[in-house]
Amino acid sequence: MSQNAENIKPCYPLFQSEEYQEVLARKRAVAEEAHSPEKVREIFEWTTTEEYKELNFQREALTVDPAKACQPLGSVLCSLGFENTLPYVHGSQGCVAYFRTYLNRHFREPVACVSDSMTEDAAVFGGQKNIMEGLQNAKALYKPAMISISTTCMAEVIGDDLNAFIGNAKKEGYIPEEFPTPYAHTPSFVGSHTTGWDNMFEGTIRYFTINDMEGKEPGKNGKLNLVPGFETYLGNYRVMKRMMKEMGVDATLLCDPEEVLDTPADGEYRMYAGGTTQEELKDAPNAINTLLLQPWQLEKTKKYVQGTWNHEVPKLNIPMGVEWTDEFLMKVSELTGQPIPASLEKERGRLMDMITDSHTWLHGKTYALYGDADFVMGMAKFLMELGAEPRHILVHHANKRWKKAMEKVLSESPYGARSEVHTNCDLWHLRSLVFTDKPDFLIGNSYGKFIQRDTLAKGKEFEVPLVRIGFPIFDRHHLHRMTTLGYEGGMYILTTLVNAVLERLDEETRIMGDTDYNYDLVR
């Protein structure tokens, strides 16, 4: 075989070698019992038609490639944002392996998370024994200052009660009574990863403040609380800290996994690094107010903060693009009395200069975008600020109120006049949309590459290139360190979008003597 120690090849181009091609051809001929290439092509072409789209959108009992993940994944990311905290999932080991590898592949970092490995006996008799021994072992082995507990489908289907089980584990001495163990029920079969983040965050702040509100008063500590929500761009944590510092605002990021998900390679493994402290959580009700950076994904958190902490929680949109970043900073200034500094005004001006430089390339370009509710709304808003058109907008796990709000945002710009908003739809629905009403580009996570490949399979003129912004990004490196919020985030998004347009134009005009009449260097 061509694979040897002196010539190691990855699967591509390894599987292109003659011996592998022979194996694959023999497998197709002997074992697959496949339809003819002509029949496959016939069905493929049919799936790109308006007729098929109508049938596709009638689906009720089947999801194909959902544009979301499950609740416990979000709870694990939330747990990683607290100092010296070990995420603990009450459920099957395979689920936790999925969460860890999913986050590991996106962040390119080891992700600490333990499971109490429920199996068939726990499914029948309940998982209390698993929790008791699991908590005891996790505390002894990994020495966290806090264990943050969530659930998977198995525990939820059989009705395991985390509050009772954790209480019994403490009463029977498996872990000390005073040891912090915030928890949340996160069934995978409802909601999504953003629901799981919200549930875990609300469970955490409830644990530290529900019975400790005496003497707490909004404004007492002079700080501002910022709640990031399910946020996977590490630059967004950093830009929030920087903007608050430049404004002279004492702000607390309530959940900050930025450091543990970006540790240096210096010979020391850090299971825990950075994060919001328990003291900051306990002091959070004394803040001037709490700002939700992704409000559509933090409804449970908002209800608790308003009802228990007595914070107003101002109505804001995700601070993406120009106008919504302006609104966010003006609200921070209003709440704290601190002026917006010249440094941020200059940064805004640089973004406006970039828009002036690039808007002619983006004007009129059409986009299909998908992802989480706040991200998609913020992206659609910024696209319209650039003169681009968000043609197909898809969020699998958004509700009717979000759809109505999204349509209102679109109605406020002429660039949203032809937009369509789809909720409770998956990427197979989006595939039909881009075939029957072709946009210029897709914006979303790595899974959109399969739509791009399918459109290319129909013919080069049908190809819809993918611009990778979102979560997860598995097939590109280091994009998770970028920034999408604030003026700095606007600069990154704008750079990414306009260079995708120019790369496409370069690709289409590179045939010498045939198409190379426009985008060249000799003019």
Side-chain angles (χ1 to χ4, degrees), residues 508-517:
E508 293 174 349
T509 59
R510 65 175 50 149
I511 302 175
M512 294 176 63
D514 186 3
T515 63
D516 61 337
Y517 295 119

Side-chain angles (χ1 to χ4, degrees), residues 215-403:
K216 302 290 173 67
E217 181 182 340
K220 189 175 181 180
N221 65 16
K223 296 182 178 181
L224 202 61
N225 294 330
L226 302 180
V227 182
F230 187 91
E231 178 55 72
T232 58
Y233 279 92
L234 301 182
N236 288 341
Y237 299 96
R238 292 164 182 157
V239 78
M240 283 296 151
K241 295 174 190 175
R242 177 178 65 80
M243 289 195 300
M244 295 303 101
K245 184 178 180 180
E246 290 183 25
M247 288 186 70
V249 171
D250 192 354
T252 303
L253 267 175
L254 293 181
C255 187
D256 180 13
E258 174 244 318
E259 196 170 336
V260 75
L261 292 174
D262 198 16
T263 57
D266 56 4
E268 177 189 351
Y269 169 61
R270 299 165 176 83
M271 178 174 285
Y272 313 112
T276 305
T277 67
Q278 294 180 30
E279 289 69 30
E280 288 172 322
L281 289 169
K282 294 173 184 176
D283 191 40
N286 289 321
I288 298 166
N289 214 321
T290 299
L291 303 185
L292 309 181
L293 301 185
Q294 299 192 65
W296 285 102
Q297 296 161 202
L298 293 167
E299 294 187 353
K300 194 171 183 179
T301 294
K302 179 181 179 180
K303 184 178 180 181
Y304 181 83
V305 169
Q306 288 179 327
T308 303
W309 293 1
N310 297 315
H311 287 192
E312 175 197 347
V313 187
K315 182 177 175 57
L316 289 170
N317 295 295
I318 185 172
M320 287 178 70
V322 181
E323 183 179 342
W324 286 356
T325 299
D326 290 349
E327 290 179 358
F328 171 76
L329 292 177
M330 287 190 289
K331 178 56 70 174
V332 171
S333 179
E334 175 191 327
L335 290 170
T336 62
Q338 295 292 100
I340 298 173
S343 60
L344 290 179
E345 290 182 357
K346 184 179 289 187
E347 188 175 330
R348 183 187 191 276
R350 287 178 178 142
L351 173 58
M352 295 306 298
D353 182 60
M354 292 176 66
I355 292 174
T356 303
D357 294 340
S358 302
H359 81 277
T360 52
W361 293 103
L362 293 167
H363 180 85
K365 288 290 185 289
T366 56
Y367 293 83
L369 57 150
Y370 59 95
D372 297 339
D374 289 284
F375 162 77
V376 166
M377 186 177 285
M379 181 63 72
K381 172 69 173 176
F382 190 42
L383 284 173
M384 292 186 293
E385 289 179 336
L386 300 174
E389 300 180 21
R391 185 71 185 90
H392 305 295
I393 298 168
L394 185 143
V395 179
H396 195 153
H397 47 291
N399 57 32
K400 292 179 180 178
R401 289 189 301 106
W402 178 88
K403 183 177 181 181

Side-chain angles (χ1 to χ4, degrees), residues 484-495:
T484 61
L485 300 185
Y487 305 128
E488 181 183 323
M491 293 177 191
Y492 167 70
I493 293 173
L494 173 57
T495 302

Side-chain angles (χ1 to χ4, degrees), residues 109-125:
E109 290 285 340
V111 173
C113 180
V114 298
S115 163
D116 54 22
S117 302
M118 290 178 67
T119 53
E120 289 84 354
D121 58 340
V124 175
F125 301 109

Side-chain angles (χ1 to χ4, degrees), residues 128 132 163-174:
Q128 179 167 262
M132 289 178 169
N163 184 49
F165 287 5
I166 296 167
N168 291 338
K170 291 184 174 182
K171 288 176 185 177
E172 297 187 25
Y174 286 90

Side-chain angles (χ1 to χ4, degrees), residues 152-194:
T152 66
C153 291
M154 181 188 292
E156 291 296 326
V157 168
I158 64 176
D160 278 2
D161 185 341
L162 288 184
N163 184 49
F165 287 5
I166 296 167
N168 291 338
K170 291 184 174 182
K171 288 176 185 177
E172 297 187 25
Y174 286 90
I175 53 174
E177 191 78 36
E178 69 280 3
F179 186 78
T181 51
Y183 67 88
H185 285 273
T186 53
S188 300
F189 43 81
V190 295
S192 70
H193 54 289
T194 62

